[in-house]
Amino acid sequence: MYDAIVNAPTGGPNGSGFGFRPACALSGLCAVLYYLLAANPASAQTQLRVTGTLTIEANASLRRGACDVRARVLDDAGQPVSAGQLQIKPLSSPAGSSVHECGQHPSELSANAAGAYLASTSDAGTVCVHFEGVPEHAEFELTFSDPNGLYAAANKHVIADSATRSVEMAFAPGQTVLALERDTQILSLVTRPEPPLAIDEKVQNVELALNLAHEGRAAEKLASALVEIGSNAEFRVPSRAFGEPGPLEIIAEFAGSASTRAARALLHVTSTAQARVTLAEPLAASHPESGVRVRVRVSSVAGAVPSGSVEARSGGISLGSARVSNGTAELYVQLEEAAAKARPLELRYVADTPWWLPGQPLSVAVPILPPSPWRRLAWVAAALALGAWLLVGWQRPRRLERAAHARAQRDSARAPIDVLELGHARSGWRGRVLDAHDGSPIANALVLMRMPSFDASGVQHTARTDDDGAFALEGSAGPGAALTVRAPFHSPLAAPMPPPGTLVLSLTSRRRTLLTRFVDWATREGRWDRRGEVTPGEVARRTDRTEVAGWAGAVDEAAFGPEPLSESKEQGLLAREPSHDRKPC
């Protein structure tokens, strides 16, 4: 059990250590990615080369003229690098020294032309080489170079010392998450002497320091403990000492002594906190269709939550969301009055970082205002207006009006939205976008679904038509959803979102829209002495007003000229439309 937790030395007098680091997939993925790309020349014209970094942790122990150089090679994820060639070059060893691997059956090693000895790393990424006849304060240069190019070269300079022992340390268990809702965090550290203590050897006490480092900040001391070497240390740290949630480094350190080398163990963790949503103020009674203003407060055991968003839902349908800033958020939601009466509004926190966790959603009943008599008056007025319209419609139209109506019937356009087939609630919308008059498909049209929004455009789903005018819009629509269709040379279409299914959306060309606007202007301007609708060219020739002639000529060129009518040109012509202060000639 012990060796499964602590399996490598953790320190030396040169500021190095055999630290315990959490496994990380980044370095291994980078190496595999590079290998696959390099082995497959067809994968890309320009070969991608991805390399990782290495760390050499080493010490040199000097005893009676002999020295053991121990090293461990780790990648940038803290994982051992096995079957690698480590070069160890003595910088002050006399010629003729005996050099061999450590262990019961050592193998003699020979120096290369540069005077360095090659040793292969074990499965644990370790190397141990024994040097005879080494002077005091002997120095060694350790170099690791990967022939496959997966790792950058690494170097380490080591000075031999007379320390007789190292301390191996590790956090056990190596937890990765600290929930700040707990009052106290318990961190356990195991230690082991290397080499092990003899039976009659005196047990030494070591003082361990526990430090905390936030990203980009200097380390802070959390606690300390004095333990016997080879025993376990338990630290009980109040959760408030860890500060705000986020990624942390917890560092255990032993400063070293005359006989025992310094040691260090590192633990990467993430501290988390739950976000609680509460009302910042009571909801005011309102008509939900007109909108409900909701101000919420988002807090935690670590204080106000600085980021994320709050989403409002009703009956499983999202009504919108708002960003959280300094622990508060403000929403403006619209929903049907029947839905507001049937179920409460649900407010829930949506995190944008892994260390803020959503708590239980908040259910809020929406207070509803009683019906207003003025609203009933509006319905009465609407009914009277409808009756008046029907009465006018019963009147016998004049001869010219009947002729205009007949022309309109002959040149009638398609309905803007035609639902061919209904689908189920989440089937989305499919269909085609066509010209309202000739039925030709409109390519590259943009189909948008918008929802009531608080701080953005409100666009929820988009689609573009292909060469046949076909489109497919996924998703589902909530209360207040609206449909918008835009095309380069057609007037935009805006309407409430139809039910899911198969649709035909018809757009009127900008030229027809401009001509219709011109005819309306000419009708209001006065009676023209001709049958049928007046044309822009006729108005340009017959009018005695300079601005009318120029404008009508420009409309005639835009409506019947060879160049397509763009939106900006159309807006420019509409801005030039003359007033009706004179009669035509």
Side-chain angles (χ1 to χ4, degrees):
M1 282 298 291
Y2 192 91
D3 289 337
I5 299 173
V6 182
N7 55 16
T10 61
N14 305 288
S16 63
F18 292 47
F20 294 86
R21 306 181 184 180
C24 171
L26 177 60
S27 176
L29 284 177
C30 289
V32 171
L33 177 61
Y34 166 77
Y35 180 82
L36 291 176
L37 290 177
N40 185 9
S43 61
Q45 292 183 349
T46 302
Q47 192 178 63
L48 177 64
R49 187 180 185 86
V50 182
T51 60
T53 58
L54 293 176
T55 301
I56 301 176
E57 299 180 338
N59 61 67
S61 177
L62 185 64
R63 299 178 186 175
R64 302 185 186 91
C67 180
D68 287 343
V69 177
R70 299 176 183 271
R72 190 182 186 202
V73 183
L74 303 171
D75 62 18
D76 47 12
Q79 299 301 298
V81 177
S82 60
Q85 296 294 314
L86 183 66
Q87 296 188 41
I88 305 175
K89 181 179 180 180
L91 301 182
S92 56
S93 178
S97 297
S98 174
V99 180
H100 57 79
E101 295 178 347
C102 303
Q104 296 181 351
H105 304 286
S107 300
E108 290 290 334
L109 301 177
S110 300
N112 58 18
Y117 296 86
L118 290 179
S120 297
T121 57
S122 67
D123 291 341
T126 60
V127 164
C128 180
V129 178
H130 180 80
F131 290 83
E132 290 286 351
V134 176
E136 291 186 7
H137 307 296
E139 298 183 31
F140 299 88
E141 187 72 27
L142 283 69
T143 305
F144 186 93
S145 179
D146 182 13
N148 297 321
L150 298 181
Y151 300 101
N155 297 279
K156 185 69 177 179
H157 186 80
V158 178
I159 302 175
D161 59 35
S162 57
T164 59
R165 178 166 282 109
S166 298
V167 179
E168 299 175 355
M169 299 193 308
F171 288 94
Q175 59 198 95
T176 58
V177 177
L178 299 178
L180 296 182
E181 283 71 28
R182 293 196 294 263
D183 293 335
T184 304
Q185 306 293 334
I186 301 176
L187 301 171
S188 298
L189 189 75
V190 297
T191 67
R192 184 174 68 177
E194 176 60 37
L197 296 173
I199 297 177
D200 57 349
E201 190 173 356
K202 182 180 179 181
V203 176
Q204 178 186 353
N205 291 332
V206 292
E207 185 174 1
L208 305 178
L210 193 67
N211 299 323
L212 170 69
H214 287 269
E215 185 176 8
R217 304 183 194 173
E220 305 171 2
K221 187 173 182 179
L222 287 177
S224 61
L226 187 65
V227 299
E228 293 182 350
I229 189 170
S231 61
N232 299 351
E234 184 177 270
F235 298 91
R236 294 181 175 268
V237 183
S239 292
R240 62 177 180 273
F242 293 91
E244 61 190 24
L248 306 171
E249 284 186 352
I250 301 177
I251 309 159
E253 292 182 305
F254 168 57
S257 64
S259 59
T260 306
R261 294 184 182 87
R264 190 171 186 264
L266 181 64
L267 181 65
H268 292 274
V269 299
T270 299
S271 59
T272 64
Q274 284 192 352
R276 300 188 300 270
V277 179
T278 57
L279 286 179
E281 59 185 34
L283 296 186
S286 61
H287 296 295
E289 297 93 338
S290 302
V292 181
R293 178 174 174 267
V294 184
R295 292 191 68 248
V296 297
R297 184 177 293 109
V298 187
S299 59
S300 71
V301 294
V305 177
S307 62
S309 59
V310 175
E311 181 187 27
R313 299 177 67 87
S314 177
I317 299 175
S318 176
L319 304 179
S321 62
R323 298 291 299 173
V324 175
S325 178
N326 297 323
T328 60
E330 184 170 328
L331 302 90
Y332 190 78
V333 298
Q334 292 178 296
L335 69 163
E336 296 179 357
E337 185 171 314
K341 291 179 178 179
R343 65 185 68 88
L345 194 65
E346 184 181 272
L347 305 173
R348 65 174 186 173
Y349 174 76
V350 180
D352 59 355
T353 57
W355 42 88
W356 289 111
L357 306 179
Q360 289 295 324
L362 175 66
S363 295
V364 180
V366 178
I368 300 173
L369 285 173
S372 171
W374 294 105
R375 298 178 70 186
R376 296 176 182 172
L377 183 61
W379 281 104
V380 173
L384 292 176
L386 177 61
W389 177 79
L390 293 175
L391 182 61
V392 172
W394 288 340
Q395 295 179 353
R396 181 180 180 85
R398 292 182 299 175
R399 182 177 181 180
L400 291 178
E401 292 173 341
R402 290 199 304 273
H405 179 69
R407 288 194 303 273
Q409 288 293 328
R410 288 195 303 270
D411 196 29
S412 61
R414 301 166 181 264
I417 300 178
D418 189 8
V419 181
L420 302 182
E421 183 180 355
L422 291 176
H424 57 81
R426 297 188 178 273
S427 64
W429 297 262
R430 286 164 175 78
R432 301 179 71 196
V433 179
L434 306 177
D435 185 280
H437 294 270
D438 60 21
S440 60
I442 301 176
N444 200 33
L446 180 61
V447 184
L448 305 171
M449 185 181 79
R450 300 177 183 270
M451 295 289 292
S453 175
F454 315 117
D455 53 4
S457 64
V459 175
Q460 296 293 310
H461 306 288
T462 64
R464 281 201 180 270
T465 59
D466 58 16
D467 292 341
D468 294 328
F471 71 92
L473 193 66
E474 304 297 335
S476 59
L483 174 70
T484 302
V485 186
R486 302 183 67 89
F489 304 114
H490 287 74
S491 298
L493 168 64
M497 200 69 194
T502 304
L503 314 176
V504 173
L505 307 178
S506 301
L507 302 184
T508 304
S509 68
R510 296 189 189 279
R511 286 180 168 179
R512 289 185 180 272
T513 302
L514 181 63
L515 284 174
T516 302
R517 178 71 176 263
F518 178 83
V519 171
D520 291 343
W521 178 89
T523 302
R524 293 194 306 271
E525 180 73 5
R527 186 183 300 277
W528 293 83
D529 189 15
R530 70 183 297 276
R531 292 187 177 185
E533 296 174 346
V534 68
T535 65
E538 181 183 1
V539 171
R541 292 191 302 271
R542 295 180 56 187
T543 185
D544 60 354
R545 298 173 58 185
T546 304
E547 70 275 16
V548 172
W551 173 66
V555 171
D556 186 70
E557 188 277 333
F560 302 106
E563 297 295 328
L565 180 57
S566 64
E567 182 178 6
S568 59
K569 188 174 182 179
E570 178 189 25
Q571 295 301 319
L573 290 172
L574 296 180
R576 292 176 56 187
E577 182 178 303
S579 60
H580 296 281
D581 55 351
R582 294 188 59 184
K583 296 294 182 182
C585 59

